Amino acid sequence: MAYPPAAQSSPPRQPSVKVILASADVQRVIDRIAHQILEKTQGAADTVLLGIPTRGAPLAKRLAARISTFEDVTVPVGVLDITLYRDDLRRHATRAVGPTQVPPGGIDGKRVVLVDDVLFSGRTVRAALDALNDVGRPASVQLAVLVDRGHRELPIRADYVGKNIPTSLAESVKVTLAETDGTDEVRLYGGTPS
C-alpha cells in the first residue's frame, strides 16, 4: 500500500521588525524637540527637564545639551523615579526603586517638562504626575516624548512629540539609546512579514 507524500509544513513566520528611526533620525528628532521647547517656553526661561527612567533620563540630558548649543542657555536636568507610583506594581515583579534627582533650585514655580521615550497608555505619565506632587509644586507641567504610539487609556497627550507611530496593540515599539543600549534606534516589532 502506497502512502501519499507527507505534506511539507512551512516554517512559522517570524514577527516583523521595522526600523522606524535610525541613529541620525533620532538625533534630528531630538534637535527638533529642543527647538520646539525653546520656542514654546520663550527660550527655556524657568524651565526644568525631568527624565523618567530608564530612557527618559538620557533623553532629558540630550535635550538640555542641544538647547544649550542652540541658545547658550543652561536648563536644569533631573530624574523622576516613578516606581512606587505605578498602578501595575501588583501584577509585575518587584522593581528596584531608583533615585529621584531634583536639580538645584528645585521645581517650585518652574515649568517642568517631563521627558520619556514612548507614550502609550498614559499610565507612566500619570505615575510621573503623582511622583511630581511629592517633589514640589511646579507652575506648569509639559510632556516631551520621542515616540507617541497611540492607544491612550487616560486623557494625556504630549506637548512635544518626536514621531507619531500608528501601531496595533499586537505591535510593540522599542527605543534603544547609546547611553543605555549602545546604539540609537527606534524599532517596531510585531505583525508578520508580507
Side-chain angles (χ1 to χ4, degrees):
M1 176 171 197
Y3 292 99
Q8 292 189 359
S9 63
S10 58
R13 288 185 160 189
Q14 296 297 317
S16 67
V17 179
K18 182 178 180 184
V19 175
I20 302 294
L21 297 173
S23 181
D25 301 320
V26 170
Q27 187 55 51
R28 275 193 295 276
V29 165
I30 290 170
D31 286 353
R32 188 173 67 243
I33 294 172
H35 279 295
Q36 290 172 345
I37 289 172
L38 281 165
E39 183 179 320
K40 289 185 179 180
T41 62
Q42 295 77 45
D46 291 323
T47 300
V48 174
L49 301 176
L50 289 182
I52 300 171
T54 298
R55 288 167 190 84
L59 283 172
K61 288 178 184 172
R62 285 197 203 183
L63 283 169
R66 298 310 290 159
I67 288 170
S68 177
T69 298
F70 299 144
E71 290 290 327
D72 197 26
V73 174
T74 301
V75 178
V77 180
V79 177
L80 183 66
D81 182 68
I82 63 163
T83 304
L84 297 178
Y85 299 88
R86 297 184 62 93
D87 62 4
D88 61 355
L89 282 176
R90 286 175 266 144
R91 292 188 295 160
H92 294 289
T94 306
R95 302 169 192 242
V97 177
T100 289
Q101 300 165 350
V102 179
I107 64 167
D108 291 339
K110 306 279 176 72
R111 177 188 299 108
V112 170
V113 179
L114 296 173
V115 181
D116 203 6
D117 57 349
V118 178
L119 178 56
F120 181 34
S121 67
R123 293 187 179 278
T124 296
V125 178
R126 185 217 41 89
L129 292 170
D130 288 346
L132 198 59
N133 283 332
D134 285 348
V135 173
R137 186 178 170 96
S140 65
V141 180
Q142 296 178 344
L143 176 62
V145 296
L146 191 64
V147 173
D148 184 345
R149 63 164 291 191
H151 303 288
R152 217 73 74 241
E153 296 172 6
L154 299 170
I156 291 173
R157 74 170 176 80
D159 299 276
Y160 313 99
V161 177
K163 179 115 177 130
N164 286 294
I165 302 175
T167 63
S168 74
L169 287 172
E171 295 172 314
S172 64
V173 174
K174 175 69 174 167
V175 173
T176 59
L177 296 176
E179 296 89 337
T180 55
D181 311 289
T183 186
D184 290 342
E185 201 168 62
V186 177
R187 291 184 175 201
L188 178 65
Y189 292 85
T192 54
S194 37

